[in-house]
Amino acid sequence: MRIYCDFDGTISRRDSTDFILEALADPDWRRLQVEWEAGRISADVCMRGQVALIGGADADLDELLDTVELDPGFAAFVEWAERRGLPLGVVSDGVDYFIARILSRHGLQRLPVVANNLVGSPGRRRLEHPPKPIDCASGSGVCKCQATSGASGAGPLVFVGDGRSDYCVAARADVLFAKGALAIHSAERGQAYHPFDTFRDVLRTLEWLAGDHLPSRLSAACD
């Protein structure tokens, strides 16, 4: 079994990028958000434009990021996965610096993270995306399908997420945990998923599945 989790709104209790934009960015970031939601620009174009609008010093960023809390069950979930020797990674279409700062404050900096890269200095920040396949159709900066592709024999793919950037990888998951927009999307396309509120729910379900010999593909849809 290999486990991958989205970050913003899944591991974190709030979207760290939106939080920073609301506090430090030029208000024009909202126009870009509307353009993306209407489908007129892709997610990667939207995020690059928004990050370029973030003001404030690095200390201002850190002060805000240090108020972002994690899901109350996530630390225990990480400990459970590590005790069982299960690979656990974070795949996010968010910002690597934000994620690293938040995880480090909670003692979880050891987790591998794939995310967009924040570069530059205050007033001249920009976002760079990791390499992704030319045929990636997600429109996101991070190709989560590529990031979660494991070696042959790595076991079932477990994915935990909540948003639009998770749609593509969710379709490939053997066991899917979904809430928010991802749960709605999965239900509409008839994909099996486990609804969850916190990682305590995810942990309880995986404990049961792992104890009952985790199937290669979840077959029954969950309401």
Side-chain angles (χ1 to χ4, degrees), residues 54 56 58 74 82 99 101 118 120-121 123 145 160 168 179 191-192 196 200 203 219 221-222:
I54 295 175
D58 288 341
F74 185 66
E82 290 177 339
I99 296 169
R101 178 81 186 188
L118 181 67
S121 56
C145 288
V160 188
C168 185
K179 64 179 178 178
Q191 181 178 2
F196 75 101
R200 292 170 182 150
L203 177 54
S219 59
C222 303

mmCIF file of all heavy atoms in Angstrom, residues 54 56 58 74 82 99 101 118 120-121 123 145 160 168 179 191-192 196 200 203 219 221-222:
data_model
loop_
_atom_site.group_PDB
_atom_site.id
_atom_site.type_symbol
_atom_site.label_atom_id
_atom_site.label_comp_id
_atom_site.label_asym_id
_atom_site.label_seq_id
_atom_site.Cartn_x
_atom_site.Cartn_y
_atom_site.Cartn_z
ATOM 1 N N ILE A 54 1.886 38.577 -4.406
ATOM 2 C CA ILE A 54 2.069 38.508 -2.952
ATOM 3 C C ILE A 54 3.120 39.515 -2.505
ATOM 4 O O ILE A 54 4.248 39.534 -2.995
ATOM 5 C CB ILE A 54 2.487 37.087 -2.513
ATOM 6 C CG1 ILE A 54 1.362 36.098 -2.800
ATOM 7 C CG2 ILE A 54 2.843 37.067 -1.032
ATOM 8 C CD1 ILE A 54 1.723 34.651 -2.510
ATOM 9 N N GLY A 56 4.742 41.797 1.112
ATOM 10 C CA GLY A 56 5.196 41.490 2.457
ATOM 11 C C GLY A 56 6.571 40.855 2.483
ATOM 12 O O GLY A 56 7.047 40.308 1.491
ATOM 13 N N ASP A 58 9.492 38.143 4.124
ATOM 14 C CA ASP A 58 9.457 36.726 4.473
ATOM 15 C C ASP A 58 8.935 36.531 5.898
ATOM 16 O O ASP A 58 8.235 35.555 6.180
ATOM 17 C CB ASP A 58 10.853 36.121 4.351
ATOM 18 C CG ASP A 58 11.303 35.973 2.900
ATOM 19 O OD1 ASP A 58 10.425 35.991 2.007
ATOM 20 O OD2 ASP A 58 12.520 35.859 2.671
ATOM 21 N N PHE A 74 -4.052 14.055 11.787
ATOM 22 C CA PHE A 74 -3.011 13.754 10.805
ATOM 23 C C PHE A 74 -1.736 13.212 11.444
ATOM 24 O O PHE A 74 -1.128 12.260 10.925
ATOM 25 C CB PHE A 74 -2.686 14.981 9.952
ATOM 26 C CG PHE A 74 -1.714 14.690 8.851
ATOM 27 C CD1 PHE A 74 -2.062 13.840 7.812
ATOM 28 C CD2 PHE A 74 -0.441 15.249 8.847
ATOM 29 C CE1 PHE A 74 -1.164 13.543 6.787
ATOM 30 C CE2 PHE A 74 0.460 14.961 7.828
ATOM 31 C CZ PHE A 74 0.098 14.104 6.805
ATOM 32 N N GLU A 82 3.901 4.992 9.487
ATOM 33 C CA GLU A 82 5.324 4.730 9.682
ATOM 34 C C GLU A 82 5.551 3.434 10.464
ATOM 35 O O GLU A 82 6.492 2.684 10.166
ATOM 36 C CB GLU A 82 5.982 5.917 10.387
ATOM 37 C CG GLU A 82 6.069 7.159 9.501
ATOM 38 C CD GLU A 82 6.657 8.363 10.187
ATOM 39 O OE1 GLU A 82 6.639 8.405 11.445
ATOM 40 O OE2 GLU A 82 7.127 9.269 9.499
ATOM 41 N N ILE A 99 3.981 24.796 2.596
ATOM 42 C CA ILE A 99 3.775 23.446 3.131
ATOM 43 C C ILE A 99 4.909 23.056 4.073
ATOM 44 O O ILE A 99 4.680 22.531 5.170
ATOM 45 C CB ILE A 99 3.648 22.442 1.979
ATOM 46 C CG1 ILE A 99 2.401 22.757 1.146
ATOM 47 C CG2 ILE A 99 3.597 21.010 2.494
ATOM 48 C CD1 ILE A 99 2.323 22.002 -0.156
ATOM 49 N N ARG A 101 6.954 24.946 5.787
ATOM 50 C CA ARG A 101 6.908 25.736 7.020
ATOM 51 C C ARG A 101 5.863 25.174 7.984
ATOM 52 O O ARG A 101 6.119 25.027 9.191
ATOM 53 C CB ARG A 101 6.577 27.194 6.689
ATOM 54 C CG ARG A 101 6.462 28.118 7.897
ATOM 55 C CD ARG A 101 7.803 28.570 8.385
ATOM 56 N NE ARG A 101 7.700 29.345 9.625
ATOM 57 C CZ ARG A 101 8.721 29.989 10.187
ATOM 58 N NH1 ARG A 101 9.927 29.955 9.615
ATOM 59 N NH2 ARG A 101 8.568 30.657 11.317
ATOM 60 N N LEU A 118 8.299 27.968 -4.715
ATOM 61 C CA LEU A 118 8.325 29.423 -4.532
ATOM 62 C C LEU A 118 9.770 29.905 -4.631
ATOM 63 O O LEU A 118 10.639 29.443 -3.891
ATOM 64 C CB LEU A 118 7.751 29.794 -3.166
ATOM 65 C CG LEU A 118 7.693 31.296 -2.853
ATOM 66 C CD1 LEU A 118 6.696 32.004 -3.767
ATOM 67 C CD2 LEU A 118 7.332 31.529 -1.390
ATOM 68 N N GLY A 120 12.464 33.541 -5.727
ATOM 69 C CA GLY A 120 12.503 34.992 -5.748
ATOM 70 C C GLY A 120 12.515 35.584 -4.356
ATOM 71 O O GLY A 120 12.560 34.872 -3.354
ATOM 72 N N SER A 121 12.439 36.879 -4.291
ATOM 73 C CA SER A 121 12.513 37.612 -3.032
ATOM 74 C C SER A 121 11.254 38.462 -2.855
ATOM 75 O O SER A 121 10.469 38.619 -3.798
ATOM 76 C CB SER A 121 13.760 38.502 -3.030
ATOM 77 O OG SER A 121 13.749 39.366 -4.163
ATOM 78 N N GLY A 123 8.497 40.990 -3.029
ATOM 79 C CA GLY A 123 8.239 41.953 -4.081
ATOM 80 C C GLY A 123 8.559 41.432 -5.465
ATOM 81 O O GLY A 123 8.162 42.031 -6.468
ATOM 82 N N CYS A 145 -0.902 12.739 -11.024
ATOM 83 C CA CYS A 145 -0.826 11.377 -11.539
ATOM 84 C C CYS A 145 0.628 10.934 -11.647
ATOM 85 O O CYS A 145 0.988 9.819 -11.263
ATOM 86 C CB CYS A 145 -1.517 11.285 -12.891
ATOM 87 S SG CYS A 145 -3.321 11.391 -12.807
ATOM 88 N N VAL A 160 -5.918 10.613 -0.606
ATOM 89 C CA VAL A 160 -6.794 11.388 0.274
ATOM 90 C C VAL A 160 -6.804 12.826 -0.221
ATOM 91 O O VAL A 160 -5.746 13.471 -0.307
ATOM 92 C CB VAL A 160 -6.293 11.348 1.734
ATOM 93 C CG1 VAL A 160 -7.318 12.002 2.669
ATOM 94 C CG2 VAL A 160 -5.983 9.920 2.181
ATOM 95 N N CYS A 168 -7.956 14.118 -11.351
ATOM 96 C CA CYS A 168 -7.314 13.156 -12.233
ATOM 97 C C CYS A 168 -6.732 11.980 -11.459
ATOM 98 O O CYS A 168 -6.992 10.820 -11.780
ATOM 99 C CB CYS A 168 -6.221 13.852 -13.046
ATOM 100 S SG CYS A 168 -5.456 12.769 -14.273
ATOM 101 N N LYS A 179 -13.537 14.425 0.254
ATOM 102 C CA LYS A 179 -14.502 15.346 0.838
ATOM 103 C C LYS A 179 -14.561 16.571 -0.050
ATOM 104 O O LYS A 179 -13.821 16.684 -1.041
ATOM 105 C CB LYS A 179 -14.121 15.723 2.276
ATOM 106 C CG LYS A 179 -12.815 16.483 2.427
ATOM 107 C CD LYS A 179 -12.573 16.819 3.903
ATOM 108 C CE LYS A 179 -11.256 17.540 4.107
ATOM 109 N NZ LYS A 179 -11.048 17.918 5.534
ATOM 110 N N GLN A 191 -17.763 7.045 -9.009
ATOM 111 C CA GLN A 191 -16.546 6.418 -8.509
ATOM 112 C C GLN A 191 -16.683 6.089 -7.024
ATOM 113 O O GLN A 191 -17.176 6.884 -6.237
ATOM 114 C CB GLN A 191 -15.332 7.325 -8.704
ATOM 115 C CG GLN A 191 -14.043 6.657 -8.205
ATOM 116 C CD GLN A 191 -12.816 7.497 -8.424
ATOM 117 O OE1 GLN A 191 -12.917 8.619 -8.916
ATOM 118 N NE2 GLN A 191 -11.649 6.980 -8.064
ATOM 119 N N ALA A 192 -16.207 4.917 -6.664
ATOM 120 C CA ALA A 192 -16.224 4.505 -5.262
ATOM 121 C C ALA A 192 -15.277 5.377 -4.451
ATOM 122 O O ALA A 192 -14.166 5.676 -4.884
ATOM 123 C CB ALA A 192 -15.797 3.047 -5.146
ATOM 124 N N PHE A 196 -14.814 11.377 4.334
ATOM 125 C CA PHE A 196 -14.128 11.552 5.610
ATOM 126 C C PHE A 196 -14.253 12.996 6.064
ATOM 127 O O PHE A 196 -14.454 13.903 5.259
ATOM 128 C CB PHE A 196 -12.650 11.156 5.506
ATOM 129 C CG PHE A 196 -11.780 12.159 4.779
ATOM 130 C CD1 PHE A 196 -10.970 13.044 5.481
ATOM 131 C CD2 PHE A 196 -11.758 12.222 3.391
ATOM 132 C CE1 PHE A 196 -10.171 13.970 4.820
ATOM 133 C CE2 PHE A 196 -10.964 13.134 2.719
ATOM 134 C CZ PHE A 196 -10.163 14.005 3.435
ATOM 135 N N ARG A 200 -8.749 10.985 11.341
ATOM 136 C CA ARG A 200 -9.167 9.921 12.251
ATOM 137 C C ARG A 200 -10.092 8.949 11.519
ATOM 138 O O ARG A 200 -10.030 7.735 11.731
ATOM 139 C CB ARG A 200 -9.853 10.520 13.475
ATOM 140 C CG ARG A 200 -8.917 11.311 14.386
ATOM 141 C CD ARG A 200 -9.665 12.080 15.430
ATOM 142 N NE ARG A 200 -8.761 12.879 16.258
ATOM 143 C CZ ARG A 200 -9.082 14.026 16.828
ATOM 144 N NH1 ARG A 200 -10.299 14.520 16.661
ATOM 145 N NH2 ARG A 200 -8.202 14.687 17.572
ATOM 146 N N LEU A 203 -7.898 6.889 9.156
ATOM 147 C CA LEU A 203 -7.148 5.885 9.901
ATOM 148 C C LEU A 203 -8.022 4.696 10.285
ATOM 149 O O LEU A 203 -7.623 3.530 10.103
ATOM 150 C CB LEU A 203 -6.544 6.523 11.158
ATOM 151 C CG LEU A 203 -5.769 5.594 12.092
ATOM 152 C CD1 LEU A 203 -4.688 4.837 11.353
ATOM 153 C CD2 LEU A 203 -5.180 6.394 13.253
ATOM 154 N N SER A 219 -14.387 -1.842 -4.571
ATOM 155 C CA SER A 219 -15.438 -2.145 -5.553
ATOM 156 C C SER A 219 -16.766 -1.529 -5.231
ATOM 157 O O SER A 219 -17.582 -1.293 -6.112
ATOM 158 C CB SER A 219 -15.586 -3.657 -5.676
ATOM 159 O OG SER A 219 -15.921 -4.228 -4.425
ATOM 160 N N ALA A 221 -19.175 1.486 -4.024
ATOM 161 C CA ALA A 221 -19.205 2.935 -3.800
ATOM 162 C C ALA A 221 -19.745 3.250 -2.424
ATOM 163 O O ALA A 221 -20.566 2.527 -1.882
ATOM 164 C CB ALA A 221 -20.066 3.595 -4.880
ATOM 165 N N CYS A 222 -19.230 4.352 -1.878
ATOM 166 C CA CYS A 222 -19.679 4.773 -0.547
ATOM 167 C C CYS A 222 -20.502 6.041 -0.704
ATOM 168 O O CYS A 222 -20.209 6.888 -1.505
ATOM 169 C CB CYS A 222 -18.465 5.059 0.341
ATOM 170 S SG CYS A 222 -17.333 3.675 0.500
#
